Amino acid sequence: METNSVHNVPGQGNSLIRSDLTLRGRREGKVRDVYDLPPDTRGGRVLVVASDRISAFDVVMPTPIPGKGRLLTSIAAFWLRWIEREGLAATHLISTDAGDVPQSGLGGSTQRSDLAGRVTIGRSCRVLPVEFVVRGYLEGSGWRDYEASGSVCGHRLPAGLRRCEKLPRPLFTPATKAEQGEHDENIGFDDAVRLIDNVAGEGAAERLRDASLAMYERATAYALQRGIILADTKFEFGIPETVPGERAEPIVIDEALTPDSSRFWPADRYEPGHTQPSFDKQYVREYLEGLVASGAWDKAAPGPALPAEVVDGTLARYREASAMLTGG
């Protein structure tokens, strides 16, 4: 991956590939860079910077998608505020204003202008080691599982379902959180209970499963009114680092209901029985699957460079999803 902070893409402006701030605790995910901020009266805080990196099959591609980080930040902030307004869950979101980044943190090559539209300041949390995946339609690893066994992650389903068909009811299918370059693994609910309740207390896994299903179902109804099918998504939860003496309950962290964490399909073109046109990074996945089929790539790092038409097509889909969902 390129190490320059800001990369100029001809005809598309600057793309942030990797942030460089003089803040403590820097860690780098597939798409986001995270730093520690001084605590406030409610406890610890983190700064999350959404880069223009894109990953597929748990591998970060060497080619950025210019402006993707700003779109993801806007969509995630919209949904996190919506989740709170709807009374579905508390979230980590404090601010998305780059002006709230302390001047003392701007000693590296990344400037405040580079951060505009890309930052999320949130509660510092102990991340629960499980991804809370909810599936409403039969696609991806769920479809492959169903073809092989008639089940999806241990949930037995009726025979004869078609690819991308709506499931009789949404399914909660937890997965382990993989390190960068490794693959997430589906786990059973009993395994999720052991991982979650050990950290968050007895009964936490059931409460967070129910919250995830409720968020998915409400978000599905909202999106469908705006012409988008939310096929599946994943949530993450963490326990806030609060001021001493306070007991903290898990809250929604990271992103929520974005094209990077969900499958979005245009409702007016939905037709089960085959793959669907999408607003998410499935466009990149399909290009890469073609390389795999031809023997040009084996889904291992490093990822291949993406051609301009894939970059442009992916960005166009993110923009369209943002406009339809948020009106922006």
Side-chain angles (χ1 to χ4, degrees):
M1 182 186 301
E2 301 188 39
T3 56
N4 293 335
S5 174
V6 178
H7 175 61
N8 185 268
V9 180
Q12 297 175 319
N14 288 337
S15 180
L16 185 70
I17 298 173
R18 184 178 188 273
S19 64
D20 177 29
L21 301 173
T22 50
L23 293 169
R24 294 182 176 180
R26 188 186 192 284
R27 49 266 195 206
E28 185 172 305
K30 294 166 189 162
V31 173
R32 291 167 176 79
D33 302 332
V34 183
Y35 302 84
D36 293 330
L37 290 175
D40 62 12
T41 56
R42 293 179 59 192
R45 299 183 302 156
V46 294
L47 170 67
V48 183
V49 181
S51 76
D52 292 330
R53 301 189 297 267
I54 189 166
S55 70
F57 309 113
D58 296 309
V59 175
V60 179
M61 300 296 114
T63 310
I65 308 295
K68 169 179 166 285
R70 291 190 171 97
L71 286 168
L72 283 180
T73 299
S74 174
I75 295 170
F78 168 83
W79 280 115
L80 290 170
R81 292 187 179 109
W82 180 88
I83 286 168
E84 292 190 332
R85 284 199 310 272
E86 293 292 310
L88 295 167
T91 80
H92 74 141
L93 180 61
I94 299 173
S95 170
T96 57
D97 187 351
D100 292 336
V101 177
Q103 185 64 34
S104 60
L106 298 172
S109 61
T110 302
Q111 306 302 309
R112 197 180 299 277
S113 58
D114 300 324
L115 298 175
R118 298 182 179 278
V119 304
T120 300
I121 296 175
R123 293 283 156 222
S124 179
C125 293
R126 182 180 180 185
V127 180
L128 298 183
V130 170
E131 292 189 336
F132 292 72
V133 181
V134 183
R135 304 172 188 267
Y137 292 76
L138 194 54
E139 181 56 306
S141 64
W143 167 247
R144 293 190 294 273
D145 194 2
Y146 176 75
E147 278 194 303
S149 67
S151 301
V152 173
C153 301
H155 297 272
R156 192 71 186 174
L157 295 176
L161 296 180
R162 295 166 292 173
R163 185 170 191 170
C164 296
E165 190 154 354
K166 186 175 182 180
L167 296 172
R169 58 183 175 81
L171 301 179
F172 176 64
T173 60
T176 57
K177 290 175 57 63
E179 298 295 328
Q180 186 163 319
E182 299 180 0
H183 298 285
D184 299 339
E185 292 187 8
N186 296 328
I187 58 175
F189 184 64
D190 289 344
D191 291 327
V193 169
R194 285 191 289 271
L195 289 169
I196 296 164
D197 288 9
N198 184 53
V199 177
E202 185 176 355
E206 289 190 5
R207 294 195 302 273
L208 298 179
R209 174 199 60 192
D210 293 347
S212 297
L213 287 165
M215 287 188 288
Y216 172 78
E217 295 193 62
R218 294 276 284 277
T220 295
Y222 174 92
L224 193 58
Q225 291 175 348
R226 287 149 185 84
I228 290 179
I229 290 173
L230 175 58
D232 54 46
T233 194
K234 65 180 179 181
F235 301 101
E236 296 189 43
F237 291 86
I239 301 174
E241 297 177 1
T242 60
V243 295
E246 290 188 3
R247 181 177 180 274
E249 292 293 326
I251 62 176
V252 177
I253 61 170
D254 196 46
E255 60 182 339
L257 300 160
T258 72
D260 270 17
S261 64
S262 315
R263 281 189 175 88
F264 291 139
W265 299 334
D268 61 356
R269 298 171 64 188
Y270 173 63
E271 184 182 73
H274 53 77
T275 59
Q276 306 297 306
S278 68
F279 291 114
D280 52 59
K281 62 182 180 181
Q282 185 63 25
Y283 189 68
V284 172
R285 292 191 195 101
E286 289 171 2
Y287 167 75
L288 295 172
E289 288 282 17
L291 296 183
V292 173
S294 68
W297 188 49
D298 62 357
K299 292 190 178 181
L306 303 177
E309 59 268 23
V310 172
V311 172
D312 293 343
T314 300
L315 188 59
R317 285 160 174 78
Y318 277 62
R319 285 173 172 161
E320 187 174 3
S322 177
M324 292 176 72
L325 289 169
T326 72

